[in-house]
Amino acid sequence: MSESVRIIEMGPRDGLQNEKTLVSVADRIAFIRALVDAGLTTVEVGAFVSPKAIPQMVGSDEVMRSVASLPGEFHVLVPNVKGYEAAHAAGAKVISVFTAASESFSRANINCSIGESLERFKPVIAHAKTDGIKVRGYVSCALGCPYEGEIKPQAVADVAKALWDLGCYEVSLGDTIGVGTPLKAKQMLRAVCDDVPVTHLAMHFHDTYGQALANLYAGMEEGVRVIDAAAGGLGGCPYAPGATGNVATEDVVYMLDGMGIRTGVDMAKLLAATNAMSRLLGRPPVSRVAAALNAKAKRASSE
Ligand code: HMG
Ligand code: MG
């Protein structure tokens, strides 16, 4: 396997978008600063979506402005031209458009069909091109849908190809509800790779059934080298009932460190960032590695 993997940190966006506690703009900025300091230099920091749909992401403009000067690349979600204009005004240099391989999920999440979403992205991507802004694309429900169940690999490939053809530089494949298993992940990725170069794919796996690391490993065997993950295993989507968080960044870094693959992440600093957010949310991180390291530190301090 090659020597390095790029981690896209999702904690401040996917991680917080479904939390009951509304985390303040100042605390979100502090979280992002701590993540960047830990070596996570690509971070999705917010979303320019309807404040009625996702109140947790209100203030993303302030967040974006505040972190823009930090050393790193900061992504924001954008569903339409209205969101694009706000993201551009806030200084975003990378935006992510998002759709799904399932019609039902697309309706629930962004209130339109898959085809309509792609039409909405056309003017967004045209503006982005003029303004020199990079566009990433997401395909949700790549390994299953909360409403439709099984999703065919070809359906994922079709949407991934459409995003690629529209001009997205990278397509992130979301196991939104964390139901995938390694063989399924491989089959889905092989179908997508027929249409989008593997070097332009990312894996965005939620960990509901505890399969995310195994699925990532399987995807790495297929050649994918970009992984979306969230500090502490935070995350979820209000339109993905029953789904838990993203694969935890700590768990991914621990696995990759063990394989001798570079991530540039300082685990102690990442753990400190996760623990600080955990205290704000009032519960311990779900990451197994974070829990193990916290327990180890507790034992050491009581000796
Ligand atoms: P809509 O209702 O179809 O849009 O929503 P509309 O154009 O008819 O506008 C309705 C209202 O929303 C209007 O306000 C607009 O101004 C406002 P009102 O007149 O009622 O006061 N509006 C906006 N406000 C702020 N920013 C905007 C914007 N657009 C319209 N950009 C829309 C369509 C997509 C906006 C809405 O459905 C929405 O915001 N949905 C939220 C989607 C979302 O954020 N989901 C979670 C993220 S996706 C995810 O988690 C999956 C992912 O992690 C990958 C994976 O895990 O699979 C990426
Ligand atoms: Mg997600």
Side-chain angles (χ1 to χ4, degrees), residues 111-296:
N111 197 27
C112 64
S113 70
I114 299 167
E116 285 163 349
S117 74
L118 296 170
E119 286 303 313
R120 281 184 189 176
F121 300 156
K122 281 183 186 165
V124 170
I125 294 171
H127 287 306
K129 204 171 170 192
T130 308
D131 296 330
I133 289 176
K134 292 205 301 179
V135 185
R136 195 172 193 246
Y138 281 105
V139 184
S140 285
C141 301
L143 293 171
C145 168
Y147 311 107
E148 296 181 16
E150 202 77 22
I151 296 291
K152 290 201 167 54
Q154 194 53 48
V156 184
D158 291 346
V159 182
K161 179 178 184 331
L163 290 171
W164 175 248
D165 288 347
L166 281 177
C168 292
Y169 74 93
E170 185 168 280
V171 179
S172 178
L173 302 160
D175 184 6
T176 316
I177 53 171
V179 289
T181 46
L183 194 56
K184 264 190 160 182
K186 274 181 182 276
Q187 285 161 348
M188 181 274 289
L189 287 165
R190 281 177 193 160
V192 176
C193 283
D194 286 343
D195 294 314
V196 182
V198 70
T199 45
H200 294 269
L201 293 178
M203 300 181 280
H204 178 110
F205 295 163
H206 286 254
D207 200 25
T208 316
Y209 286 82
Q211 304 294 300
L213 275 186
N215 296 342
L216 289 175
Y217 188 87
M220 287 172 64
E221 285 189 329
E222 294 302 309
V224 187
R225 289 292 177 273
V226 184
I227 294 176
D228 297 356
L234 291 167
C237 173
Y239 308 101
T244 62
N246 292 81
V247 67
T249 313
E250 295 84 350
D251 298 9
V252 172
V253 169
Y254 184 85
M255 178 178 83
L256 296 176
D257 279 352
M259 294 166 70
I261 293 174
R262 284 194 312 274
T263 61
V265 178
D266 178 321
M267 183 69 92
K269 287 183 172 180
L270 168 58
L271 187 63
T274 289
N275 285 339
M277 182 47 69
S278 247
R279 283 192 290 277
L280 283 175
L281 298 174
R283 58 180 160 72
V286 297
S287 157
R288 299 289 291 268
V289 168
L293 292 175
N294 282 333
K296 192 175 173 187

Side-chain angles (χ1 to χ4, degrees), residues 75-97:
H75 299 192
V76 290
L77 286 192
V78 163
N80 52 20
V81 170
K82 186 179 170 89
Y84 176 80
E85 283 165 354
H88 180 41
K93 298 278 181 281
V94 185
I95 60 163
S96 294
V97 294

Side-chain angles (χ1 to χ4, degrees), residues 13-14 17 48-50 52 80 83 109 111 140 176 204 206:
R13 193 280 299 171
D14 199 328
Q17 73 181 7
F48 290 87
V49 297
S50 157
K52 283 182 198 145
N80 52 20
N109 194 36
N111 197 27
S140 285
T176 316
H204 178 110
H206 286 254

Side-chain angles (χ1 to χ4, degrees), residues 2-23:
S2 82
E3 300 285 284
S4 71
V5 158
R6 185 168 193 220
I7 296 178
I8 318 282
E9 172 58 41
M10 292 286 137
R13 193 280 299 171
D14 199 328
L16 299 180
Q17 73 181 7
N18 198 31
E19 284 294 332
K20 281 191 206 81
T21 309
L22 294 189
V23 179

Side-chain angles (χ1 to χ4, degrees), residues 21-64:
T21 309
L22 294 189
V23 179
S24 71
V25 163
D27 287 333
R28 278 148 61 194
I29 293 169
F31 185 36
I32 296 161
R33 285 182 175 276
L35 292 166
V36 171
D37 188 47
L40 289 154
T41 51
T42 308
V43 186
E44 198 158 85
V45 298
F48 290 87
V49 297
S50 157
K52 283 182 198 145
I54 315 279
Q56 292 86 344
M57 289 293 105
V58 167
S60 286
D61 51 346
E62 232 180 300
V63 172
M64 185 63 237

